[in-house]
Structures are given as structure tokens and as C-alpha cells.
Amino acid sequence: MDSYDGSGAARGNGAAGPEPEQREKDSSDAGQEPEPGPLGGMAGLSLPYQIVAALALSVIGLIACVQLAMVFLHVAPSNTLTKRHGEAVDEWVYPEFEQNWKLFAPNPLQQNIAVHVRAEIAGRDGVRTTRWMSLSAEDSKAIRSNPLPSHVNQNELRRGWDFYLNSHDNENRPNGLRGELSERYIRRIVMLRLGEHDYGGPVRRIQVRSETRSVPAPPWSNEKISTEPSYRVLPWWTVTDADLPANAGEADK
């Protein structure tokens, strides 16, 4: 016969079973569903905050759709919409979202364009003119053998020069406010680059030119292409305080 101690636990072959109170608790818990956890995301917000979040997401989505539509119209071939709303598209795109490519026109560059500058220096021996310096060659030198070239070296001068050409006529006359803006942009780039060199005196005037050479035909082609350079020489510009990098921010105020 099994004997029991004072706590009611069985000895010998029997095992101690759960107490009556514990069995009742387990049986009552078995029929209950687990309590749901806290809601995440927008569902966890109160109704006013859900409305505000939904409106904010709607505005962001609308702006994203407008941005995609404007950029598409900017790079798309001429059509009825661009003819009728071209000004609105340009006002949205320029200058922050300008694209330098067109749909259905995969025309690679067939020319090498280098930007040169020379300066008039007011030195102790009087005014002298420096030799032509290739700003494009300096950028190319900084890019070669550099696994992570700077965006400035890759695109600043090239895009700035394209900006100038697209906003001036063949006589170097600006065709609107963007023309004056592009001219100031080129002057500041030039003065920023010249500031890296010591010419023994302040720069009084600068002159910029471009050298264009056609890319030679490949060896397997019978096409004859002249690689002689052609130059576009801009007039001399007098340097002002607005052209100096240190005063550029104050000049716009």
C-alpha cells in the first residue's frame, strides 16, 4: 500500500499530480483565446493621426507622380502636351531636375570638348596674361586611376559649359535670365579653379574658350573624320567680387 506524506504527494511508483486549484486554473485557461498584442503602423495611431498620416502620404504620392510626369515630358519627343505646356514643364524641371538625355535618341557623344581659361594678373611688374590652362585636363587627371572620383570633377565643368552653350547664341549673347545665370556660374567655377594656383597677384580679367575635336573613326571604319580642333572664344570678363568664391554667398543676398 502506498503511503502519503503530510503534503499529499504519493511515494513509490506513483507521481505527484497537479493540485486541484492548479487543475482548475489550467482547464479555465484552455478555453480562452490569447489577448491580442498592440497594433503596429498606422493602425496603432488614433483616428486624427491616421487622417493626418493618410493625407501626408497622399500629398507625397501626388508630388512623386507629378515629378515623374514632368521629367517624362521633358525627355520625351515633341508632342501635343509639350507644345502646349512646355513652359510649365521647363519651370518645374529647371534647374534642379534638368536631364541631359532624350527618349528614343541614343546618340552618344561624338566630340571631345575641353574648356580652357587664361587670366590677366596684376603683379608687381604690371599686368601680364597667363598661358591657356585646360580645366578639363585637370578634371581628367583627378578622375584617372581614382576608384571613387568626385562628382565635381566628373560633371561640374562639363554641365556648366553645356548650360552656358544652351543659353547663349552663336555671338555669345544671353537669351534670357538663364543666360546671365550660366555666365555667372562659369565665372565662379573658373575663379574657384584659379584660386588653387598662385600667379603672384590678383586676377583682374579672365577669358574662357572651348576646344572641340571630333572623335576619330574606329580602325575598321572607312569613314573619314577630321580631328582638327575648333575653338569658341568668349570675350574677356572683368572679375568682380561676386565671382570670388569667398564672396559668392554674400553677393546673392
Side-chain angles (χ1 to χ4, degrees):
M1 179 179 291
D2 296 335
S3 59
Y4 294 86
D5 59 9
S7 61
R11 295 180 181 176
N13 297 330
E19 296 182 357
E21 295 180 358
Q22 182 66 31
R23 289 198 300 270
E24 292 178 1
K25 183 177 180 181
D26 293 342
S27 61
S28 61
D29 292 343
Q32 294 180 357
E33 296 181 359
E35 296 182 0
L39 298 176
M42 290 181 58
L45 301 175
S46 61
L47 181 59
Y49 285 103
Q50 288 183 7
I51 296 175
V52 172
L55 289 176
L57 291 176
S58 300
V59 171
I60 294 174
L62 179 61
I63 293 175
C65 291
V66 172
Q67 169 71 10
L68 291 175
M70 290 297 187
V71 173
F72 174 80
L73 291 175
H74 178 68
V75 301
S78 179
N79 55 71
T80 303
L81 285 176
T82 55
K83 291 178 181 178
R84 180 175 299 179
H85 305 290
E87 274 187 43
V89 173
D90 289 343
E91 289 179 359
W92 180 278
V93 170
Y94 291 112
E96 290 85 1
F97 308 113
E98 181 181 4
Q99 304 295 318
N100 191 30
W101 58 282
K102 293 292 182 181
L103 288 177
F104 314 119
N107 186 22
L109 293 176
Q110 298 179 356
Q111 295 175 327
N112 290 322
I113 301 176
V115 180
H116 302 162
V117 64
R118 63 178 178 177
E120 278 190 1
I121 308 298
R124 296 180 179 179
D125 300 331
V127 178
R128 61 183 179 87
T129 302
T130 67
R131 61 178 178 81
W132 287 104
M133 178 180 67
S134 177
L135 302 180
S136 300
E138 290 190 346
D139 286 346
S140 298
K141 183 179 179 181
I143 293 173
R144 290 192 181 97
S145 303
N146 188 347
L148 298 173
S150 168
H151 180 77
V152 172
N153 296 127
Q154 295 182 76
N155 296 314
E156 181 185 60
L157 180 62
R158 179 180 61 85
R159 297 295 294 119
W161 186 249
D162 287 343
F163 184 25
Y164 179 89
L165 294 181
N166 293 331
S167 55
H168 284 73
D169 59 20
N170 292 331
E171 301 298 327
N172 298 318
R173 292 174 299 203
N175 51 19
L177 295 178
R178 296 184 69 246
E180 298 176 3
L181 177 63
S182 66
E183 183 176 315
R184 293 203 308 268
Y185 187 57
I186 288 293
R187 291 164 70 155
R188 290 183 183 181
I189 291 177
V190 169
M191 293 306 300
L192 187 65
R193 303 295 181 86
L194 291 179
E196 299 174 357
H197 303 270
D198 183 12
Y199 291 102
V203 178
R204 297 302 185 191
R205 295 199 304 166
I206 56 175
Q207 188 176 31
V208 181
R209 75 176 184 183
S210 65
E211 180 188 78
T212 303
R213 293 177 182 267
S214 297
V215 176
W220 47 263
S221 174
N222 295 326
E223 187 178 3
K224 303 298 182 180
I225 298 178
S226 174
T227 58
E228 291 297 319
S230 62
Y231 296 93
R232 177 168 178 170
V233 183
L234 306 188
W236 282 94
W237 288 330
T238 300
V239 177
T240 64
D241 290 341
D243 301 326
L244 303 178
N247 299 323
E250 299 177 0
D252 290 336
K253 294 182 180 179

